[in-house]
C-alpha cells in the first residue's frame, strides 16, 4: 500500500527490482535488528533465534553440549519439537506441524528431502559446523522463507565478513558414552578486508544406543561426515560476491522405529551470491543468490532379520533456485522485499524381490518424477510509532506440479482417472502483527492468513508405507489447497533480571490434509492394515499456549522454566496425531570466571489426547534430569574449552509423543567435548 506512494518512477523501479531476480537469504527481521531495539523486533515477530556455531567461544559457554547434533540444538528451542525415528535425522515440528506444513531452508535456499518415509528432513543435510544460527518464525511470520502453515526454520550458514583476522582455526572432538559416539571436527579460516575463505569438516560415528535400564536399541547406529567451504571476494567497497559448497553424507544409518535402514544419504548444496550495499540509491542490503542442490537417498533392508520381501528403495531430489532481496527505509517505514523461485525434481522408486525367485520383480515409482516450479514475491513493512509498531507482510506465489514420468502418471491414473499431468496453484499469505510497549510490559498480537500446496507425497505418493499407523498411503493430485487462519497473542513483563512471558497460538486450518482410510483398496506392504488416500478434512484446529520465565539470582546464577499445553482436533472433534501433551523444562545455569555449569529437568505429562486411528498409543508421563560442567582455559593466545555432562542422569526408560511408534529414548549418557581454537 505505502509501497506505491513514492512517485511512479520510484514505484516502478521498486516493482522492477522485485521482479528482476530470484530468491531469498537473510531473514528480514534480522537485517533490521541492527537499526532498532533488538528485543522489540524479536517480540513483534514472535521469532526465536537459536545460536549454533560449534567452535564459537561465546556460545561455548552458554551451550550445554557444544558439539551436539543440529537436531539437539533445535530441540532446545522453545518452539520446536523433534519427531524421532532413531538416533539420527529427527524431523522438526512447530506448532504441532511437521515437514509438509513448514518451510525449512538453508541460508534461504529451498531444499527437499529425497525419502518417501521422511527419513531425511532438510535439517539432516547440514551440521552444526556449517551453521551460525537457526532463525525461527512461527506461522505466517515465517513466510519470508516460503509458503507455510506452521512456520519456518532458516538455518543460517556461518560465514566470513571481511574482517582482517588472517588465518584462524580450531579443532574439536567429542565423545558420548551411551552409543560410543565419536566426533571429530576442524575449521580453517582466512579473512582479510578483500577476501575470506572458511572451511570446516566434521565426522560423527555412533553405535547402537541403549534406552534406560541398559536396553540396547538395535539398528540405531549411524555414521556421517560433512564438509563445507564458503568464500567471499570484495569487488568494490560496496559490492561483493560469495560462494558456498556443502557436501554431506551419511552411511549405515539405522532407523529402529522403521522397517528399513539407510545405506546412503548424500547431499551436495552449492550457491553463488552477489551483495551490494545499495540499489538505485534507495534500496539497501541488496542480496541475490542462485543455488543448486542434489540429494540421493538409498534405503536398505538387507541387515534386518525376517524380511518377508526384500525391497530396493532409492530416491532423488534436485533443486535449482534463486532469490533477490533488498531493504528500504523511509520515515516510520522499513520495507523488505524479496523475489524468489525454485524448480525441484523428486523421484523415488521401489523394486520388490519376491522370496520365490521365479516370481516377477515388482517395480513402482513411489514418487513419479514430480517437477515443481515455484515463483514468489514477498514484501513486508515494519511501521514504528512511539511505543508501538506494526508489521505487515504478504507473499504471493505461483506453484505448479507436473508428473514427468508417463509410467508414474498412468499408475496414479488408476486411482485418479481424471487427473491432469500438471496442476497449478496460486498461493497467498497475509499477515499483520502488532506490538505495544508499556514500560516493562510488551503486548503482541497478530492475525494471519496463509496457504500451502500439498507435498509431493500428499499429491503424488504411490503406496508409501507408514509404519506409524501401518497403512500404505496414496497421494491425490486434486487435493484442495490447505489454508490457515491464525491468531497469536503474547504478553510479557521484562526487566533485566526478570522476565515472564505468556503466549498462545491458534490455527484454524481449512482443507486440512491427512490420510483417510479407503477400504476398497488393498495394501501392497505385507502385513499392512489397509490403504489410506490423502484427502482434505473440512477443517482442523490447533492450539498451543506456553508460559516462560527467567530470573537472575545473581550475576552468576540464572534460573529459567517453561510449561506448555497443546491441543489439536479435527472437524469431528477427534484428536489429531502427534500433538504434544503438557510439557515442561526447567534449568539452573551458572557462569563465572570461565567456569560454567547447568542443571536441567525436562518432562511431559501423560498423553491424554491421542488417537488410535492414527496408530497412536497413550504415552506415559516422564521426567529426565541432566547436568553439564565446562571450563575455558587460555593457552598462550589460544583458547581451550572443555565441556562435560550427563544426560538422563537417573537412566529413565521413557518415550515421548514424538517418538515414532514409542521407540524409547536414550538412557544415561555421559559426554565430553574438547575444542581448541587458534587465533
Ligand atoms: Cu528413506
Amino acid at each position: 500500500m505505502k509501497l506505491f506512494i513514492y512517485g511512479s518512477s520510484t514505484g516502478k523501479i521498486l516493482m522492477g527490482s522485485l521482479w528482476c531476480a530470484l530468491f531469498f537469504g537473510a531473514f528480514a527481521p534480522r537485517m533490521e535488528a541492527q537499526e532498532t531495539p533488538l528485543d522489540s523486533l524479536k517480540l513483534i515477530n514472535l521469532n526465536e533465534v537459536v545460536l549454533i556455531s560449534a567452535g564459537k567461544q561465546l556460545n561455548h559457554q552458554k551451550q550445554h553440549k557444544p558439539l551436539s547434533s543440529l537436531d539437539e540444538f533445535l530441540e532446545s528451542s522453545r518452539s520446536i519439537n523433534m519427531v524421532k525415528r532413531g538416533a539420527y535425522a529427527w524431523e522438526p515440528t512447530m506448532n504441532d506441524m511437521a515437514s509438509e506444513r513448514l518451510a525449512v531452508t538453508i541460508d534461504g535456499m529451498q531444499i527437499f528431502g529425497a525419502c518417501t518415509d521422511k527419513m531425511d528432513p532438510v535439517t539432516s543435510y547440514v551440521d552444526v559446523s556449517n551453521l551460525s544460527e537457526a532463525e525461527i518464525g512461527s506461522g505466517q511470520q515465517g513466510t519470508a522463507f516460503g509458503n507455510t502453515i506452521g512456520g519456518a526454520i532458516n538455518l543460517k550458514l556461518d560465514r566470513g565478513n571481511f574482517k582482517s583476522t588472517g588465518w584462524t582455526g580450531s579443532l574439536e572432538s567429542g565423545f558420548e558414552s551411551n552409543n560410543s559416539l565419536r566426533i571429530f571436527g576442524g575449521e580453517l579460516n582466512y579473512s582479510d578486508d578483500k577476501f575470506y575463505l572458511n572451511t570446516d569438516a566434521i565426522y560423527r560415528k555412533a553405535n547402537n544406543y541403549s534406552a534406560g535400564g541398559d536396553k540396547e536399541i538395535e539398528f540405531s547406529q549411524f555414521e556421517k561426515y560433512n564438509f563445507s567451504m564458503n568464500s567471499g571476494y570484495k569487488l568494490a567497497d560496496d559490492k561483493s560476491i560469495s560462494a558456498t559448497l556443502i557436501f554431506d553424507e551419511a552411511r549405515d544409518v539405522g532407523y529402529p522405529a522403521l522397517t528399513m535402514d539407510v545405506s546412503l544419504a548424500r547431499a551436495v548444496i552449492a550457491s553463488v551470491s552477489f551483495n551490494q550495499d545499495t540499489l538505485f540509491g534507495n534500496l539497501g542490503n541488496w542480496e541475490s543468490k542462485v543455488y543448486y542442490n542434489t540429494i540421493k537417498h538409498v534405503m536398505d533392508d538387507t541387515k534386518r532379520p525376517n524380511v518377508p520381501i526384500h525391497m530396493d528403495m532409492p530416491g532423488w531430489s534436485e533443486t535449482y533456485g534463486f532469490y533477490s532481496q533488498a531493504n528500504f527505509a523511509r520515515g516510520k517505514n522499513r520495507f523488505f522485499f524479496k523475489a524468489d523461485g525454485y524448480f525441484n525434481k523428486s523421484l523415488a522408486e521401489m523394486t520388490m524381490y519376491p522370496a520365490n525367485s521365479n516370481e516377477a520383480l515388482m517395480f513402482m515409482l513411489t514418487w513419479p518424477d514430480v517437477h515443481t516450479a515455484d515463483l514468489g514475491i514477498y514484501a513486508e513493512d515494519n511501521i514504528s510509532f512511539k511505543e508501538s509498531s506494526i508489521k505487515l507482510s504478504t507473499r504471493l506465489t505461483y506453484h505448479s506440479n507436473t508428473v514427468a514420468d508417463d509410467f508414474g502418471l498412468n499408475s496414479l491414473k488408476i486411482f485418479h482417472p481424471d487427473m491432469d499431468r500438471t496442476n497449478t496453484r496460486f498461493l497467498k499469505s497475509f499477515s499483520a502483527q502488532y506490538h505495544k510497549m508499556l514500560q516493562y510490559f510488551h503486548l503482541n498480537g497478530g492475525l494471519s492468513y496463509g496457504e500451502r500446496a500439498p507435498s509431493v507425497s500428499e499429491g503424488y505418493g504411490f503406496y508409501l508405507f507408514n509404519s506409524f499407523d501401518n497403512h500404505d498411503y496414496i497421494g491425490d493430485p486434486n487435493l484442495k489447497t490447505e489454508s490457515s487462519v491464525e491468531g497469536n497473542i503474547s504478553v510479557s513483563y521484562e526487566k533485566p533480571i526478570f522476565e515472564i512471558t505468556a503466549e498462545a497460538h491458534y490455527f484454524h486450518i481449512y482443507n486440512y490434509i491427512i490420510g483417510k482410510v479407503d477400504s476398497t483398496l488393498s495394501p501392497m506392504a505385507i502385513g499392512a492394515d489397509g490403504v489410506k488416500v490423502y484427502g482434505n478434512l473440512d477443517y482442523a484446529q490447533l492450539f498451543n499456549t506456553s508460559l516462560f520465565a527467567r530470573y537472575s539470582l545473581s550475576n552468576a546464577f540464572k534460573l529459567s522454566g517453561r510449561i506448555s499445553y497443546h491441543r489439536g482436533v479435527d472437524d469431528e472433534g477427534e484428536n489429531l496425531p502427534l500433538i504434544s501433551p503438557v510439557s515442561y523444562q526447567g534449568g539452573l545455569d551458572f557462569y563465572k570466571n570461565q567456569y560454567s555449569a547447568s542443571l536441567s529437568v525436562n518432562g511431559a505429562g501423560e498423553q491424554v489426547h491421542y488417537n488410535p486411528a492414527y496408530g497412536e498409543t497413550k504415552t506415559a508421563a516422564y521426567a529426565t534430569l541432566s547436568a553439564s560442567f565446562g571450563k575455558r582455559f587460555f593457552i598462550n593466545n589460544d583458547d581451550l574449552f572443555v565441556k562435560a555432562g550427563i544426560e538422563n542422569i537417573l537412566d529413565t526408560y521413557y518415550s515421548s509423543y514424538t517418538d515414532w511408534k514409542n521407540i524409547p529414548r536414550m538412557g544415561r549418557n555421559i559426554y565430553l567435548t574438547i575444542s581448541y581454537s587458534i587465533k
Side-chain angles (χ1 to χ4, degrees):
M1 284 93 333
K2 298 256 171 168
L3 214 161
F4 304 104
I5 290 173
Y6 312 107
S8 62
S9 64
T10 323
K12 267 181 209 158
I13 293 167
L14 271 175
M15 293 312 287
S17 73
L18 250 177
W19 291 103
C20 74
L22 313 163
F23 186 57
F24 65 8
F27 206 36
R30 296 287 306 169
M31 306 186 63
E32 282 138 14
Q34 290 142 13
E35 302 154 24
T36 42
L38 211 84
D39 56 338
S40 64
L41 261 167
K42 271 187 193 159
L43 275 167
I44 191 171
N45 294 312
L46 292 174
N47 285 333
E48 192 185 349
V49 175
V50 179
L51 294 174
I52 299 171
S53 307
K56 305 296 168 289
Q57 305 144 13
L58 262 174
N59 300 333
H60 222 283
Q61 298 158 2
K62 291 177 189 158
Q63 281 158 8
H64 297 162
K65 196 169 158 189
L67 279 181
S68 61
S69 66
L70 172 60
D71 293 343
E72 289 170 286
F73 271 105
L74 291 175
E75 195 170 44
S76 73
S77 140
R78 283 197 220 174
S79 25
I80 294 176
N81 285 310
M82 304 297 280
V83 173
K84 300 179 172 77
R85 297 169 174 86
Y88 185 78
W90 301 343
E91 181 186 8
T93 67
M94 203 191 305
N95 295 313
D96 300 301
M97 295 182 245
S99 304
E100 53 290 320
R101 292 189 174 88
L102 302 181
V104 182
T105 51
I106 297 172
D107 228 22
M109 297 183 277
Q110 297 288 342
I111 170 166
F112 301 91
C115 178
T116 51
D117 296 348
K118 296 175 131 193
M119 287 162 147
D120 69 338
V122 172
T123 41
S124 69
Y125 290 114
V126 281
D127 206 307
V128 295
S129 54
N130 311 137
L131 304 172
S132 63
E133 58 193 31
E135 300 167 320
I136 298 161
S138 171
Q140 297 308 308
Q141 299 306 298
T143 43
F145 295 108
N147 291 96
T148 175
I149 300 284
I153 303 169
N154 181 45
L155 304 165
K156 233 179 135 187
L157 296 177
D158 190 18
R159 54 164 116 209
N161 45 10
F162 300 109
K163 279 191 182 149
S164 298
T165 48
W167 288 98
T168 55
S170 70
L171 281 173
E172 289 109 27
S173 183
F175 179 78
E176 301 196 15
S177 66
N178 187 294
N179 55 354
S180 301
L181 171 64
R182 287 83 82 192
I183 309 165
F184 302 97
E187 272 185 36
L188 186 62
N189 306 319
Y190 176 82
S191 180
D192 63 29
D193 56 358
K194 273 243 170 288
F195 173 77
Y196 67 78
L197 173 70
N198 296 1
T199 59
D200 62 73
I202 195 159
Y203 173 77
R204 298 171 186 268
K205 185 169 170 63
N207 301 346
N208 287 339
Y209 73 86
S210 298
D214 219 17
K215 293 195 182 63
E216 182 175 341
I217 305 300
E218 284 200 298
F219 310 108
S220 62
Q221 80 290 345
F222 66 86
E223 179 175 19
K224 162 176 178 131
Y225 48 93
N226 176 293
F227 173 77
S228 96
M229 223 165 101
N230 68 72
S231 80
Y233 179 71
K234 261 212 162 130
L235 300 164
D237 261 0
D238 63 339
K239 282 188 194 68
S240 64
I241 51 167
S242 54
T244 305
L245 179 69
I246 300 173
F247 178 86
D248 187 284
E249 187 169 296
R251 285 182 175 272
D252 188 27
V253 183
Y255 289 80
L258 305 179
T259 53
M260 295 186 91
D261 301 311
V262 163
S263 58
L264 173 73
R266 179 198 294 147
V268 180
I269 301 163
S271 74
V272 178
S273 40
F274 175 77
N275 297 278
Q276 188 170 301
D277 289 352
T278 57
L279 178 68
F280 308 121
N282 292 321
L283 291 156
N285 295 325
W286 183 38
E287 181 189 346
S288 304
K289 183 182 279 183
V290 290
Y291 61 86
Y292 169 75
N293 56 69
T294 178
I295 290 177
K296 183 176 182 187
H297 175 87
V298 182
M299 286 187 254
D300 178 23
D301 60 8
T302 56
K303 289 181 183 151
R304 295 295 180 107
N306 315 319
V307 175
I309 186 161
H310 166 65
M311 288 183 277
D312 262 350
M313 296 180 68
W316 298 267
S317 166
E318 206 180 357
T319 308
Y320 305 80
F322 70 86
Y323 69 80
S324 185
Q325 62 184 28
N327 288 39
F328 178 66
R330 166 161 282 199
K332 292 179 161 62
N333 299 275
R334 281 169 303 115
F335 295 97
F336 174 68
F337 304 110
K338 175 193 243 168
D340 53 46
Y342 68 83
F343 177 71
N344 170 265
K345 294 197 260 186
S346 290
L347 174 70
E349 301 172 353
M350 173 157 81
T351 310
M352 291 195 200
Y353 299 86
N356 176 355
S357 55
N358 292 327
E359 287 176 36
L361 297 184
M362 200 148 77
F363 176 82
M364 288 189 290
L365 283 176
T366 43
W367 280 349
D369 197 8
V370 179
H371 292 187
T372 302
D374 186 287
L375 257 182
I377 50 167
Y378 172 82
E380 71 173 47
D381 183 9
N382 282 280
I383 312 160
S384 329
F385 305 100
K386 213 173 183 181
E387 277 168 340
S388 62
S389 59
I390 294 175
K391 179 186 159 195
L392 302 171
S393 61
T394 179
R395 166 176 280 277
L396 304 171
T397 303
Y398 163 87
H399 185 94
S400 112
N401 296 118
T402 300
V403 179
D405 190 283
D406 289 334
F407 171 69
L409 181 67
N410 291 331
S411 307
L412 273 170
K413 278 192 167 169
I414 299 169
F415 303 104
H416 309 288
D418 57 334
M419 75 173 279
D420 294 321
R421 184 184 282 274
T422 297
N423 198 330
T424 301
R425 291 166 206 268
F426 186 64
L427 306 170
K428 302 165 285 296
S429 161
F430 307 97
S431 165
Q433 274 301 124
Y434 176 74
H435 173 222
K436 172 102 184 148
M437 200 157 84
L438 282 169
Q439 283 215 327
Y440 300 114
F441 282 98
H442 292 261
L443 172 72
N444 288 282
L447 264 180
S448 306
Y449 172 83
E451 296 176 340
R452 70 147 181 133
S455 68
V456 171
S457 288
E458 290 167 338
Y460 303 92
F462 194 73
Y463 284 103
L464 307 179
F465 178 63
N466 180 334
S467 59
F468 200 84
D469 59 8
N470 205 33
H471 278 72
D472 275 337
Y473 275 67
I474 293 171
D476 180 356
N478 300 320
L479 283 173
K480 288 181 205 145
T481 298
E482 187 177 285
S483 63
S484 158
V485 173
E486 171 201 333
N488 64 68
I489 186 158
S490 93
V491 184
S492 63
Y493 179 80
E494 270 184 71
K495 286 184 112 171
I497 62 152
F498 177 72
E499 176 192 341
I500 183 158
T501 300
E503 63 178 55
H505 299 260
Y506 171 76
F507 296 83
H508 192 97
I509 303 175
Y510 295 94
N511 299 319
Y512 187 84
I513 299 171
I514 200 161
K516 296 176 180 173
V517 175
D518 185 334
S519 49
T520 65
L521 303 174
S522 43
M524 192 84 71
I526 291 166
D529 292 335
V531 177
K532 287 187 179 178
V533 179
Y534 280 106
N536 295 104
L537 297 181
D538 279 349
Y539 65 89
Q541 299 176 86
L542 293 167
F543 172 76
N544 65 75
T545 181
S546 66
L547 189 67
F548 168 82
R550 64 168 171 81
Y551 178 62
S552 301
L553 294 164
S554 68
N555 274 341
F557 286 99
K558 291 185 170 61
L559 207 58
S560 65
R562 186 170 185 272
I563 182 160
S564 67
Y565 170 83
H566 295 235
R567 188 87 175 93
V569 290
D570 67 12
D571 50 357
E572 284 167 358
E574 298 290 334
N575 297 324
L576 290 173
L578 290 167
I579 306 293
S580 174
V582 170
S583 70
Y584 56 88
Q585 292 102 44
L588 177 64
D589 281 87
F590 168 84
Y591 180 72
K592 195 174 186 181
N593 299 338
Q594 312 300 339
Y595 284 95
S596 60
S598 73
L599 186 67
S600 56
V601 61
N602 248 292
E606 188 183 50
Q607 189 186 16
V608 190
H609 301 293
Y610 65 101
N611 192 335
Y614 297 108
E616 282 191 309
T617 53
K618 186 188 276 190
T619 310
Y622 71 89
T624 62
L625 200 62
S626 302
S628 74
F629 320 91
K631 168 84 170 113
R632 177 184 185 187
F633 300 92
F634 299 100
I635 299 175
N636 301 325
N637 253 339
D638 304 337
D639 276 325
L640 173 71
F641 300 97
V642 180
K643 198 126 200 176
I646 317 180
E647 295 167 311
N648 193 356
I649 295 172
L650 304 175
D651 202 30
T652 308
Y653 182 91
Y654 74 106
S655 70
S656 89
Y657 81 100
T658 51
D659 296 311
W660 205 250
K661 293 172 80 185
N662 281 332
I663 177 107
R665 292 214 190 167
M666 195 179 270
R668 185 182 301 123
N669 180 35
I670 299 171
Y671 60 85
L672 175 70
T673 68
I674 296 173
S675 131
Y676 190 86
S677 45
I678 304 151
K679 283 182 281 194

